[in-house]
Amino acid sequence: MDQWADLHSVVLLTKAVTSKDNGRRDDLDLNRLFTYLNGQLPFVLTDLRPIRKNVFKISTAEKQYILKEFSPGNRLRLQETFTSSLKHEGFDQTYQFVDLAQDAPLYFQGKLFGLLDYIPSAEHPFAYNTSKNREDALSLLYHYHETTAKLYPRYKTLLPAFNQMAKWTDRLTVFKQNSTLLKLFIHGDLLEEFILWAKWSLAGMKETFEWFETQPKVVLHGDVAFHNFLRGKNGRLYLLDFDLISNGHAYADYLQYANRILPSIGWSFHELQSLQILKPYLSEKGFLYGLIYPTDIFREWNRLIRGRMYNDRVKIKNVLDMTFYQLEKRRTFIHDIKMEIGS
């Protein structure tokens, strides 16, 4: 057996032992959390199971709830207040917090938890793979913005201001700093192509800065990925997870939404134009410049390197697939955008 094979075997064995150790520790922590909750809540739990990172489903004989871990500080109370404000303004397509703990808020092993309504979900998880889902999500986002435009004055001093240019400039800087490692996975010429797209996009957005400032001020959701929408068993669509809410212009959520659905529509500018709510934005140069920025590529590679996950073959494969999947279609899309802008 050669040296690489020996090393690979040791790595696999170490991962297997670590995985078993982590599994036992996780089970122990889950049992302790189960015991703590039974002492805090006015009912007997029959089940506690993780459904996402830092999110759990808890069951009683009669009902289910969602238990979610929150960041330190005022993030839990802020979201409790915000979701209550949404409901008060008539936006009922989200969850509400439930205050049932004996010693509120729930605080276990240095972690803060909130208890939420459980929304029974449809048989199939929500995804952007159908035109109905894409249109329903966009309509719900539009309704959310209509509501949060009313809430903006109230939350103006409570939430951070969102700055798209600053965020994307920082993301580009980090991507360039990671270029030495990135060249182990992506050819240098392609890395440079991604960087040129970003520079061209940011330059164009800077030129059209005045348009961005004329857009309505709202409370932005900030993370309109498919997993933050839930199709209820009743057929209604719900918007979830307000961890990244901020004050800003509505275009920012729509720009992120467009970027999230583009792989599902084969990077087709024509398909994007078929979405009525986006049509006014697609006639604006500033928004079109924003569509060119390779935010998904920068986000995922920067995250992978920040988390030192470049030895994880599964994660590497997923990010490589995302990078190269439909690359030629993305290039055609960027060409179409440039033609639309007239440059």
Side-chain angles (χ1 to χ4, degrees):
M1 189 179 285
D2 62 22
Q3 186 178 5
W4 166 251
D6 281 336
L7 177 61
H8 183 55
S9 297
V10 170
V11 169
L12 288 178
L13 180 60
T14 303
K15 282 184 177 180
V17 172
T18 304
S19 177
K20 288 178 182 177
D21 287 345
N22 286 341
R24 284 194 290 268
R25 187 163 60 249
D26 289 347
D27 286 345
L28 185 59
D29 287 344
L30 209 59
N31 288 337
R32 287 172 176 164
L33 179 58
F34 184 88
T35 302
Y36 166 75
L37 293 171
N38 262 323
Q40 283 290 321
L41 300 174
F43 41 68
V44 177
L45 270 65
T46 58
D47 192 34
L48 168 68
R49 64 183 61 195
I51 55 174
R52 275 170 61 178
K53 185 180 179 182
N54 303 327
V55 180
F56 307 82
K57 178 183 175 183
I58 64 176
S59 302
T60 73
E62 291 86 25
K63 291 190 70 175
Q64 289 87 38
Y65 299 90
I66 294 296
L67 182 75
K68 180 179 176 181
E69 183 184 333
F70 284 85
S71 305
N74 68 347
R75 183 60 65 175
L76 171 58
R77 291 303 183 202
L78 180 62
Q79 290 197 40
E80 287 177 338
T81 304
F82 181 68
T83 51
S84 178
S85 297
L86 286 174
K87 184 177 181 180
H88 181 75
E89 291 293 341
F91 186 90
D92 63 350
Q93 288 175 261
T94 189
Y95 49 67
Q96 289 293 298
F97 284 82
V98 183
D99 191 6
L100 297 174
Q102 182 176 312
D103 302 314
L106 292 165
Y107 191 75
F108 175 73
Q109 292 186 344
K111 298 174 182 176
L112 201 61
F113 292 89
L115 198 62
L116 312 170
D117 287 329
Y118 173 72
I119 303 171
S121 61
E123 181 181 356
H124 300 292
F126 181 87
Y128 284 140
N129 59 349
T130 69
S131 58
K132 176 175 172 50
N133 279 355
R134 292 190 292 269
E135 289 169 4
D136 286 356
L138 187 55
S139 294
L140 183 56
L141 188 59
Y142 182 82
H143 179 31
Y144 169 80
H145 286 157
E146 282 185 317
T147 305
T148 62
K150 302 172 193 172
L151 297 177
Y152 169 76
R154 197 183 317 171
Y155 285 88
K156 186 176 181 180
T157 58
L158 297 176
L159 295 173
F162 180 75
N163 187 322
Q164 186 74 73
M165 289 286 293
K167 179 180 179 179
W168 279 358
T169 300
D170 288 347
R171 190 169 280 181
L172 169 61
T173 299
V174 174
F175 187 79
K176 288 162 67 177
Q177 289 170 348
N178 290 333
S179 61
T180 301
L181 269 174
L182 289 168
K183 284 177 182 176
L184 298 174
F185 306 100
I186 305 172
H187 194 278
D189 289 346
L190 183 55
L191 284 178
E192 188 58 33
E193 186 175 6
F194 293 153
I195 290 168
L196 286 174
W197 289 349
K199 287 180 176 178
W200 194 79
S201 172
L202 290 171
M205 291 172 72
K206 188 174 181 181
E207 286 177 11
T208 54
F209 181 77
E210 289 184 2
W211 173 80
F212 292 103
E213 290 299 298
T214 64
Q215 297 307 295
K217 286 280 189 79
V218 299
V219 176
L220 294 167
H221 181 274
D223 189 5
V224 293
F226 72 90
H227 57 252
N228 285 328
F229 292 90
L230 182 146
R231 179 73 69 186
K233 199 171 182 178
N234 58 7
R236 299 188 81 199
L237 192 62
Y238 296 85
L239 184 61
L240 313 176
D241 195 347
F242 301 98
D243 289 349
L244 298 181
I245 53 173
S246 62
N247 291 316
H249 302 282
Y251 80 85
D253 272 346
Y254 294 126
L255 195 53
Q256 187 187 84
Y257 168 84
N259 185 267
R260 291 286 188 173
I261 70 166
L262 277 167
S264 298
I265 60 175
W267 291 85
S268 167
F269 186 64
H270 177 72
E271 284 289 324
L272 210 57
Q273 287 177 310
S274 71
L275 295 163
Q276 293 302 312
I277 291 170
L278 285 187
K279 266 196 166 180
Y281 293 95
L282 295 174
S283 64
E284 296 292 342
K285 284 188 176 182
F287 193 85
L288 294 175
Y289 277 116
L291 288 175
I292 291 173
Y293 188 94
T295 182
D296 54 338
I297 291 172
F298 288 4
R299 179 186 65 240
E300 296 306 323
W301 281 108
N302 289 348
R303 179 183 294 163
L304 187 142
I305 291 174
R306 184 174 62 249
R308 302 186 179 217
M309 295 180 284
Y310 30 78
N311 290 323
D312 187 320
R313 293 186 179 185
V314 173
K315 288 188 170 62
I316 284 289
K317 181 182 183 304
N318 290 339
V319 180
L320 283 171
D321 286 348
M322 180 271 299
T323 304
F324 293 104
Y325 176 62
Q326 298 183 343
L327 179 58
E328 288 307 317
K329 290 183 178 180
R330 187 195 289 249
R331 285 172 170 150
T332 300
F333 173 78
I334 290 174
H335 172 76
D336 291 345
I337 292 286
K338 288 183 176 182
M339 293 292 289
E340 196 74 20
I341 290 172
S343 62

